[in-house]
Amino acid sequence: MVVQLFNTAIIMDEKVETLKAELQRVREENNTLRLMLEVLNSKCTKLEIHLQEINKAQHKGMSSNQIGSVTVPPMFDTNKRPRLELPTAKKPLQIFVRTHPKDDSLIVKDGYQWRKYGQKVTKDNASPRAYFRCSMAPMCPVKKKVQRCLHDKSIVVATYDGEHNHAAIHESSSSTSKGSSPVVNNLPLMTSILNDKEPMNIGLALSGWSQTDHRRHCEDAMQQNNNNGGSNIRIEEYVSSLIKNPDFSMSLAEAVVRTITGQQKQQDINLNLDLPEE
DNA sequence: CGTGTTTGACCAGCGC
DNA sequence: GCGCTGGTCAAACACG
């Protein structure tokens, strides 16, 4: 009886240690995410300064959208919510989205409405590739391909092709489709504008990464984007549209909670995750 | 009934 | 020409 109690105590101690370690790991993840948010906020600040410069220039009678050598998209002309700008066909934009590992749908919420027109299993990836056309405007030429990452099934890769000829809608909880497929509550992890077939860079994947890895990869990705010349403008636009999205913080928090700890620990995480309110 | 998804068939490009 | 592969079409079906 005493021995049994002793063994139970040992098991409890082990569980406590495990939970402590898990808590420590979650805190480290939390710190990493804070760092990411700081980076995003700094970019937001930069963009706000940029916007102010544009407004000043307009007040001074500058007629065009040109600021120096940078062409400013029309969305900065008004106070409208920034539109998700997509690249031309020459440089397909790839967005990596982490979804719930058990979720096998191929829906990426990006502010546009898509109609699926085909699905194929490709040679290099066992996961089927879904083909979507933008259905928000009848003549919109934009297409996208969505396929799960070969190495990490919880990441879906959305490849955009073409340029929208209309504005995006803001959808916080609606699906991209009206059909039977379930809604994936997800958010882009990393965008990458690819030239031809340069290796893909899966950014900000949360599972199984140490804090150092997260931070280094995050900084590398940001640095890479900063060095990306003209593409950086579009990346920043995208980042800006994300952080101005009132649901972004909540989506981020939810995705992090699900990814790191699973649904059971959501309440505990929410206590520690003091994300800035938008 | 309108809209969107599914899925097999079809087509074009490419290499051999 | 043939086979392989990726991309698209369109009829059938599902859903609200």
Side-chain angles (χ1 to χ4, degrees), chain A residues 25-56:
Chain A
R25 193 181 64 81
V26 170
R27 281 184 177 147
E28 289 176 358
E29 298 277 6
N30 193 12
N31 287 332
T32 306
L33 286 161
R34 276 207 191 94
L35 179 74
M36 289 159 52
L37 279 170
E38 284 170 14
V39 173
L40 289 173
N41 280 330
S42 71
K43 283 180 173 290
C44 181
T45 307
K46 275 171 61 181
L47 281 167
E48 283 173 353
I49 293 168
H50 196 61
L51 181 61
Q52 286 173 5
E53 288 175 1
I54 292 164
N55 287 335
K56 281 180 188 175

Side-chain angles (χ1 to χ4, degrees), chain A residues 162-194:
Chain A
E163 202 163 355
H164 292 280
N165 55 11
H166 55 86
I169 57 169
H170 171 60
E171 57 176 1
S172 57
S173 59
S174 63
S175 168
T176 55
S177 63
K178 229 178 78 177
S180 58
S181 300
V183 175
V184 180
N185 189 8
N186 51 23
L187 73 165
L189 294 170
M190 175 70 186
T191 58
S192 173
I193 296 174
L194 300 178

Side-chain angles (χ1 to χ4, degrees), chain A residues 101-232:
Chain A
K102 290 180 181 176
D103 202 320
D104 57 349
S105 64
L106 289 170
I107 295 175
V108 177
K109 291 196 291 181
D110 52 14
Y112 291 94
Q113 204 170 1
W114 300 93
R115 178 189 173 90
K116 188 176 181 181
Y117 66 90
Q119 182 167 317
K120 270 280 184 185
V121 176
T122 55
K123 187 185 174 185
D124 55 342
N125 194 334
S127 302
R129 175 184 295 170
Y131 298 90
F132 295 90
R133 246 193 288 264
C134 181
S135 61
M136 288 177 68
M139 298 302 289
C140 183
V142 179
K143 295 170 189 172
K144 78 170 176 181
K145 294 175 282 189
V146 181
Q147 189 171 29
R148 295 206 166 268
C149 179
L150 179 62
H151 304 291
D152 188 347
K153 302 284 185 191
S154 64
I155 294 174
V156 295
V157 183
T159 306
Y160 294 86
D161 188 14
E163 202 163 355
H164 292 280
N165 55 11
H166 55 86
I169 57 169
H170 171 60
E171 57 176 1
S172 57
S173 59
S174 63
S175 168
T176 55
S177 63
K178 229 178 78 177
S180 58
S181 300
V183 175
V184 180
N185 189 8
N186 51 23
L187 73 165
L189 294 170
M190 175 70 186
T191 58
S192 173
I193 296 174
L194 300 178
N195 303 318
D196 288 342
K197 293 182 179 178
E198 76 183 45
M200 292 196 305
N201 211 1
I202 306 296
L204 312 185
L206 297 173
S207 307
W209 281 41
S210 68
Q211 184 189 8
T212 314
D213 285 339
H214 274 306
R215 181 168 297 166
R216 187 173 61 238
H217 198 80
C218 178
E219 288 169 349
D220 285 350
M222 294 299 179
Q223 185 65 35
Q224 197 176 352
N225 285 342
N226 286 338
N227 294 337
N228 205 13
S231 304
N232 192 35

Side-chain angles (χ1 to χ4, degrees), chain A residues 53-54 56-68:
Chain A
E53 288 175 1
I54 292 164
K56 281 180 188 175
Q58 282 180 339
H59 284 306
K60 285 177 185 176
M62 286 184 69
S63 58
S64 73
N65 288 331
Q66 292 274 335
I67 298 294

Side-chain angles (χ1 to χ4, degrees), chain A residues 91-109:
Chain A
K91 291 185 177 181
L93 173 70
Q94 289 203 328
I95 294 179
F96 306 98
V97 179
R98 178 173 287 283
T99 64
H100 194 279
K102 290 180 181 176
D103 202 320
D104 57 349
S105 64
L106 289 170
I107 295 175
V108 177
K109 291 196 291 181

